[in-house]
Structures are given as C-alpha cells and as structure tokens.
Amino acid sequence: SGTQELRYPPNRIAVIGAGIGGTSAAYFLRQKFGKDVPIDVYERGVVGGRLATVNLEGEDYEAGGSVIHPLNLHMKHFVKELGLSVPKSQGGLMGIYNGDEFVFEESSWYIWNFIKLLWHYGLNPLRMYMWVEEILDKFMSIYRYQAHDYAFSSTEDLLHALGGAEFLQILNETIEESMLKSGFSQKFINEIVTAVMRVNYGQGITINGFVGAVSLAGADSGLWSVEGGNKLVCTGLLYASKAQLISGAVISIEEKTREKGRSGGGAVKLYEVTYNSTSGLQRDAYDIVLIAAPLVRKNANITFLNFSPPISEFSNPYHQTVVTFVHGHINASFFGYKDPSHFQLTDIFTIENPKLFINSMGTVSPVKNRKTVLNPLLSPRVWKIFSPQPLTKEQIKLLFLSYDSNTVKIWQAYPHYSPPDKFPPIILHSRMYYLNGIEWAASAMEMSAVSAKNAALLAYHRWYENMDMIDQEDLHERLKTEL
Ligand SMILES: Cc1cc2nc3c(=O)[nH]c(=O)nc-3n(C[C@H](O)[C@H](O)[C@H](O)COP(=O)(O)OP(=O)(O)OC[C@H]3O[C@@H](n4cnc5c(N)ncnc54)[C@H](O)[C@@H]3O)c2cc1C
Ligand SMILES: CC(C)=CCC/C(C)=C/CC/C(C)=C/CSC[C@H](N)C(=O)O
C-alpha cells in the first residue's frame, strides 16, 4: 500500500452536506489527504443538518439527534479533540402507556423497579441487555479496522466484516422476528421493545433487527449529549478540517473531461458541481466528490447528468417525525391517573394503539444551563413530544392542563424501515461516494461518522490504488496476529 508518491494528490475535493456525516468526512479527508488539498463543503441550510436546536422562551433544546451512546467512540473522540464538554445526565421516571392505562411504570425505588420488571417480564430485560451488548461488541470491531485504515466498498461488506452472516440476517428481518428467534417473549416485545422503537425511530417492531438493536442501545444508561448542543461537533469539525464552507444547494453533478492532467498526461475526468447560491447558479470542478445527504427527492434532490450507466435514484422513503416542544402543566388525568397528584413520570412511552396520536413525550432540559428535574406536576416543564403528524391545538389541550408556548419541527427523520431493505451503493461512480446508505442499516450520529471515515479511507485508497486496504477478509484474525 505504498504507491501514493507515484500519483499526484487530488486537485480539489467536494463534500455535499454539513451534517455530522459531511463535517466528519471533511475532518477524515483532511487527515488522509494532508494539509494542502482544498476541500469544499456545500451546505444549503444550516451546519449541523439533523443536529439542530430550537428556541423556546429564550432557551435552546435539542430538536434532532439528541443522545449519544457511551460506546460511540468517534463522537467521543470528536468531543475530546474539539474541547467540547458534556453535562451531567439526569435521571427520570418512565411509564409505558397503551392508550388506556400504564402497562409499566418506574418508581424512584431502584429495587422496586427491578422486582416489577422481573414480575412483568421475567428474565427478558436482562437477556435483552446481553443480546444488545453482543451486537454492540461485534459492531465495535469497526474502530480497530478503521484505526488500521481498512475500508469497505459497500455497506453489506462493512457489516459482514463486523458481524458475519448473523448481521446480514438481522438486517433482513424485523426486530420482532430477530427477538422471537432468540427466545424473547411476545409480551416483552409488544410492550418494552415496541415502546423503545416508537420513541427512537417513530416506527414499530417491523424495523430491521440491527436498527432495532441500535434503538435498544439508545435506551441504555450513560447516554450523553454536548453542552451547548450536539451541532457544535459539526461546526468544530468543519473548523478543524480547514475546509471551505460554501453556502448553497447543489442541484446537479456532471462528469466532464479536462484535456490535460497536471502530470502532463492524457485527459482527466472531473465532476462538475452546479449549485444555487445567493449570487445565482455557480459551478466548480472536483476530482473527488462525497455526498453526505440523503439522496431522496424530498432531501438532497441532486440530478446526475450524463453518467453512463446512469446513477439510479434511491426512491425508498424517509419517515416523517414531528417534534413539538410545549412549556406547560401536563394533564395527568388524560393518561388515566385518577389522582393526578400521584403522577411523577418524566417520560411517557407508548405502544401501538390507533387512537394514540403521540409516540412519546418526555421532559427536557436546555442544552445550556441545565437544571435538575423538578416534579413535573409542581411546576410547568418543557415537554418534548414525538408524533407522526403535527399536533392540533385540541390535541395539545388534551395533553396539557395549561401551556404558555410551543414550537414545532417537522423532520424527514430517518429511513422508513421495511426489511429486507436494499442498501444504496457507497461508490456511485469511480471517484464519487455516498455516505447515507448506511442509514438503511441504522440511522444515528455515530453511524454517519463511521460511514464518513469509511468513505474518506475508500476515496484515499482508490485514489492511490491501495487496493489491498479495501474489502479485506478475515481482518479479525489478521489484526490479531499483527498486534
Ligand atoms: C428527531 C430526530 C432525533 C434523532 N435522535 C438521535 C439520537 O438521539 N441519537 C442519534 O445518534 N441519532 C439521532 N437521530 C439521527 C441522527 O440525527 C442522524 O442519523 C444524523 O444526524 C444524520 O447526519 P448526516 O450528516 O448523515 O445527515 P444530515 O444531518 O441530514 O445532513 C445532511 C446535510 O446536507 C444538507 N443538504 C442536503 N441536500 C443538499 C444539497 N443538495 N446541497 C447542499 N446541502 C445539502 C442538509 O441541509 C443537511 O445539513 C435523530 C434524528 C432525528 C431527525
Ligand atoms: C450506533 C450505535 C452503536 C449506537 C447508537 C445508540 C443511540 C444513541 C441510538 C439513538 C437513536 C435515535 C434515532 C434516537 C432518537 S430519539 C432520542 C431521544 N429519545 C430524544 O428525545 O430525542
């Protein structure tokens, strides 16, 4: 893998999208290609993308990606490298509401919760913890492979390298099928697992087994977020990468031929990126392009011109999730509480019921100046509500005794999972790469960062023809002997 000196570095690299995927890609590209290669990052909206805050009564709250797992090592590394801080997380009490009553409620007594869980679900919760841990453990091999610079040319190859046939199997079946096969009870799946899928991905137990496991990991203890907002990771990475931010919407990419390369050799192929900015339509040419935004019409909406064979459209839809923030007094009797003064929950999860118009609601703290959780009945609190459709005024009035303000954000949030889903390719064309296909395995900040590092490594190895660093089999065994 030592041929890089035989080839010129690329003239210019483009990254499209400045979410966590695009900004971490710029960071990893800089690490690989060195300090002199110009990197342009295009963003049509705000840096951060699906990492965003909304303001309610003078305080900012996470409205998109909010929690990070303690074993998300890329995110951890970014926060450390950028000198960002992580506030202390706060506990709370969760209840699962079925539309009529709570089928499970936590209490402030740890031992009592343990007995209740055992009573309701036997050993299922403990076994689930172990099941998720086993999947996470396999997933974590990616950090070793990437630390040794190995890259994969497809999402299937990447996941196969981590978890073998078992990973491909759980990707192709629903979380319900995966867990039933592993011996979990239907009651446990219908209540606890469904509730977690609904709060995290706004979908039920029909999502694939891998994203299902990621979602369950998203209910682990020790989750964290960034003081000031998770989007600070994106602005920090962009700065650290010394990339140039170009504010504009990329509308098309076309392959063009330039007559002479810098080496004086024959014609070279470039990608011409056309974008719409405040100064009108503009164009720039690149050797390498990374696309870090979902290639669906409702999102990136980029046209690929004159590619042969044509670059096909990935028409699988994203799932709409609406996030509503309300500052008010919760109406505990709506949730079946005969004596609302006993209501102490800070998080309400739900299970499937056609009459339910929310997926979950929970109290939240601002991204700065977090205060300790007060009894939600004693003082008005800010509640974050996830629902499939925007809430009507009447619905908000049902949920709250009184409220003074609210704000809404509608997201094309993550894929609408319906396994078996096809993964879009990573290599769209010889030097054009796509990061967001990995979301069809699971959408999470760390998944975007993993995909970004993989795409940066892949772009680098393919540029310098280090083919022995791509799609290598038995990495697990090989790295064992290398240590
Ligand atoms: C409500 C919600 C809650 C979530 N909660 C969590 C969580 O708690 N933990 C977690 O890990 N993950 C969570 N996620 C998922 C996580 O936020 C995403 O997986 C991740 O942020 C995706 O990052 P990305 O950079 O790949 O895409 P994006 O953040 O979507 O970035 C793409 C960027 O590209 C820009 N763009 C698009 N098209 C163009 C164009 N044509 N030209 C120029 N720019 C363009 C967009 O404006 C955007 O900024 C959540 C997502 C949502 C919506
Ligand atoms: C990628 C790996 C291995 C782990 C990530 C685990 C994780 C943090 C999952 C969360 C995924 C997700 C889409 C959460 C959405 S909602 C989060 C929260 N309930 C909120 O209020 O915003």
Side-chain angles (χ1 to χ4, degrees):
S1 61
T3 55
Q4 39 271 55
E5 62 281 0
L6 301 178
R7 206 174 164 168
Y8 279 91
N11 231 343
R12 217 176 178 82
I13 303 178
V15 177
I16 300 168
I20 187 65
T23 54
S24 56
Y27 174 84
F28 292 126
L29 285 165
R30 175 65 68 221
Q31 280 187 342
K32 285 313 300 172
F33 284 95
K35 62 179 177 34
D36 295 328
V37 176
I39 301 174
D40 291 342
V41 177
Y42 288 89
E43 174 53 57
R44 67 161 182 213
V46 183
V47 173
R50 275 173 277 168
L51 305 189
T53 52
V54 295
N55 192 279
L56 189 70
E57 298 181 354
E59 303 274 18
D60 292 328
Y61 297 87
E62 291 291 1
S66 57
V67 292
I68 305 166
H69 194 273
L71 294 176
N72 286 170
L73 300 191
H74 285 319
M75 291 303 290
K76 249 178 138 164
H77 167 80
F78 296 154
V79 164
K80 190 163 173 228
E81 177 93 355
L82 300 171
L84 296 168
S85 56
V86 173
K88 263 206 173 138
S89 64
Q90 298 167 342
L93 300 180
M94 178 276 290
I96 299 177
Y97 181 62
N98 71 2
D100 297 309
E101 56 177 354
F102 281 95
V103 291
F104 184 80
E105 273 182 87
E106 280 183 332
S107 80
S108 42
W109 288 22
Y110 182 78
I111 294 290
W112 184 229
N113 283 335
F114 187 75
I115 296 168
K116 268 213 280 197
L117 270 177
L118 212 63
W119 174 256
H120 278 264
Y121 307 110
L123 289 178
N124 279 268
L126 187 67
R127 289 194 43 236
M128 177 184 83
Y129 176 79
M130 284 156 48
W131 188 76
V132 172
E133 199 177 37
E134 204 180 299
I135 292 172
L136 270 186
D137 206 46
K138 289 186 175 150
F139 175 78
M140 291 194 68
S141 310
I142 193 63
Y143 302 115
R144 280 187 69 218
Y145 301 165
Q146 293 192 331
H148 283 83
D149 267 9
Y150 287 105
F152 300 92
S153 61
S154 73
T155 305
E156 289 93 329
D157 281 332
L158 186 152
L159 291 163
H160 186 266
L162 306 183
E166 191 207 328
F167 264 25
L168 297 186
Q169 174 70 35
I170 62 169
L171 280 162
N172 284 320
E173 62 194 15
T174 65
I175 180 78
E176 181 181 24
E177 287 162 349
S178 301
M179 293 188 82
L180 280 175
K181 271 191 206 164
S182 301
F184 291 94
S185 78
Q186 191 72 58
K187 176 180 160 67
F188 180 70
I189 295 170
N190 288 349
E191 294 180 3
I192 299 284
V193 178
T194 301
V196 176
M197 299 307 120
R198 283 166 66 84
V199 69
N200 282 340
Y201 288 99
Q203 298 160 69
I205 46 180
T206 53
I207 71 178
N208 80 61
F210 183 78
V211 67
V214 166
S215 177
L216 292 171
D220 271 351
S221 58
L223 300 174
W224 56 281
S225 55
V226 178
E227 174 84 14
N230 294 329
K231 66 180 177 189
L232 294 183
V233 176
C234 302
T235 44
L237 288 172
L238 198 56
Y239 181 78
S241 71
K242 296 195 168 66
Q244 183 191 197
L245 176 66
I246 300 182
S247 296
V250 171
I251 54 171
S252 67
I253 303 176
E254 181 172 0
E255 195 188 24
K256 289 270 165 130
T257 307
R258 191 173 60 196
E259 278 322 317
K260 258 200 178 136
R262 271 178 302 160
S263 50
V268 288
K269 300 262 189 185
L270 293 170
Y271 297 111
E272 186 177 80
V273 170
T274 303
Y275 61 100
N276 217 337
S277 73
T278 44
S279 4
L281 270 195
Q282 306 206 46
R283 290 189 170 81
D284 240 317
Y286 297 91
D287 290 311
I288 296 175
V289 174
L290 268 66
I291 300 174
L295 277 176
V296 285
R297 205 164 298 137
K298 274 193 179 174
N299 201 312
N301 199 16
I302 295 169
T303 308
F304 297 99
L305 297 169
N306 299 329
F307 283 93
S308 170
I311 292 168
S312 60
E313 225 187 75
F314 315 115
S315 51
N316 287 358
Y318 267 50
H319 189 87
Q320 172 174 290
T321 284
V322 181
V323 187
T324 308
F325 292 84
V326 177
H327 183 234
H329 279 279
I330 189 166
N331 178 11
S333 33
F334 175 78
F335 294 99
Y337 261 70
K338 299 232 162 46
D339 182 356
S341 69
H342 288 152
F343 182 88
Q344 282 201 313
L345 301 177
T346 53
D347 290 281
I348 299 173
F349 291 9
T350 65
I351 58 181
E352 312 279 348
N353 183 335
K355 72 180 182 196
L356 275 171
F357 53 85
I358 63 165
N359 287 334
S360 68
M361 63 190 282
T363 58
V364 285
S365 297
V367 296
K368 267 189 225 149
N369 315 318
R370 300 183 195 221
K371 297 168 199 108
T372 41
V373 179
L374 301 167
N375 181 326
L377 274 186
L378 294 183
S379 60
R381 293 270 305 154
V382 174
W383 290 84
K384 183 180 186 181
I385 307 160
F386 287 96
S387 57
Q389 296 300 330
L391 299 177
T392 62
K393 236 185 179 151
E394 288 65 38
Q395 289 170 334
I396 298 180
K397 280 185 177 159
L398 286 172
L399 298 174
F400 293 92
L401 291 172
S402 64
Y403 69 96
D404 21 74
S405 55
N406 71 301
T407 180
V408 184
K409 179 102 187 151
I410 303 179
W411 294 104
Q412 289 298 310
Y414 13 67
H416 182 85
Y417 297 103
S418 179
D421 287 312
K422 252 184 102 189
F423 289 109
I426 297 177
I427 303 172
L428 294 181
H429 193 254
S430 91
R431 285 161 286 106
M432 183 161 67
Y433 304 91
Y434 179 44
L435 273 64
N436 291 71
I438 203 159
E439 287 193 75
W440 288 92
S443 174
M445 295 174 232
E446 186 71 6
M447 297 301 287
S448 293
V450 162
S451 184
K453 180 145 190 186
N454 182 62
L457 289 170
L458 192 61
Y460 177 81
H461 293 317
R462 281 167 59 88
W463 181 265
Y464 289 113
E465 294 173 7
N466 304 329
M467 300 326 254
D468 56 337
M469 297 305 286
I470 301 171
D471 293 336
Q472 295 301 297
E473 285 177 10
D474 298 325
L475 280 181
H476 183 72
E477 290 307 311
R478 214 187 296 177
L479 291 180
K480 238 193 235 170
T481 52
E482 253 179 50
L483 278 177

